[in-house]
Amino acid sequence: MQFCGVIILTGMGDDGARGMLEMKQAGAITIAQDEATSVVFGMPKEAIKLNCVDKVLPLQSVAGSVLALAR
């Protein structure tokens, strides 16, 4: 199976969040890093505000989640 998704990690601004919204609207699975493990929660926070995030995960859980979705 192929994983078609977007992962947004720590960062500032909202350009990545707007891109994630477009990907979500096209059917991608979306994951955002949680606030507790983000150095700067700006980008994930904006994606969450746009309601385009399927999962909010701590950094250490992101890779395992992607692997599980790809099975």
Side-chain angles (χ1 to χ4, degrees):
M1 174 181 252
Q2 193 174 26
F3 172 73
C4 180
V6 179
I7 301 164
I8 199 161
L9 302 175
T10 187
M12 295 188 308
D14 68 349
D15 54 331
R18 288 182 279 125
M20 180 177 256
L21 176 60
E22 290 181 29
M23 294 292 293
K24 177 69 179 163
Q25 291 169 338
I29 298 167
T30 57
I31 300 171
Q33 185 177 357
D34 70 354
E35 184 172 11
T37 63
S38 292
V39 175
V40 178
F41 190 57
M43 194 78 67
K45 181 180 178 181
E46 291 302 316
I48 293 165
K49 282 183 4 182
L50 289 175
N51 199 30
C52 64
V53 177
D54 294 315
K55 294 182 179 190
V56 179
L57 300 172
L59 181 60
Q60 63 271 22
S61 299
V62 172
S65 181
V66 171
L67 289 172
L69 290 167
R71 292 187 184 136

